[in-house]
Amino acid sequence: MPRIFGLNLVGVLVASIAFFMVGWLWYGVLFMDAWMQAQGISAADAEAESPLWMLGGLVITIMQVIGIGLVLKWKNVSGLVPSVMAAVTLWVFFALPFCGYAYIYAAHNSALLLIDASHLLAGWVVSAVVLSLIK
């Protein structure tokens, strides 16, 4: 099986697609209106955005999945529950503080913080689950 940084390439790709789909569900279905209101944009503004931004989002998603996979590998985490616990721990100490920067220094918007941080929590957990199943 082809590998990237010692990780199963298929696992990385499947986890990345799953994480990206979590983003679509979060921002395109479940919290679309709340997120647009928190961002201060209209549906017309959102539709006018270039689809190339989505490509950038996919690259960032792949980078996060590789990072999660490397931590799981380096810490020799195996199994579903330990992988989920590792992802949650990483989220608490990395993703949540990064989202906190935007809250403290830019947006001061609790709704935006909750939507963005919960997206990363769900995405990181889904990624860890996929990576634990496809080694």
Side-chain angles (χ1 to χ4, degrees):
M1 187 59 55
R3 303 192 88 65
I4 180 168
F5 300 107
L7 304 171
N8 183 318
L9 181 60
V10 172
V12 168
L13 293 175
V14 171
S16 297
I17 292 167
F19 188 167
F20 201 71
M21 294 309 297
V22 167
W24 169 79
L25 183 65
W26 232 251
Y27 296 104
V29 178
L30 296 175
F31 303 108
M32 179 177 67
D33 294 335
W35 180 80
M36 286 194 308
Q37 182 179 358
Q39 286 283 37
I41 62 173
S42 67
D45 294 335
E47 289 176 19
E49 283 291 325
S50 169
L52 290 177
W53 287 109
M54 298 299 267
L55 182 60
L58 180 60
V59 170
I60 291 168
T61 299
I62 293 167
M63 292 171 65
Q64 291 178 83
V65 168
I66 290 171
I68 292 165
L70 287 174
V71 170
L72 295 176
K73 179 182 174 210
W74 293 338
K75 297 302 290 178
N76 201 26
V77 176
S78 62
L80 191 61
V81 172
S83 296
V84 168
M85 294 306 299
V88 170
T89 302
L90 289 170
W91 176 82
V92 166
F93 291 104
F94 291 98
L96 185 57
F98 285 134
C99 290
Y101 273 123
Y103 176 78
I104 290 170
Y105 293 113
H108 304 296
N109 187 317
S110 298
L112 191 58
L113 172 66
L114 291 172
I115 293 167
D116 290 343
S118 63
H119 161 248
L120 292 176
L121 176 60
W124 286 24
V125 167
V126 165
S127 297
V129 166
V130 171
L131 291 169
S132 74
L133 296 174
I134 306 175
K135 287 197 174 231

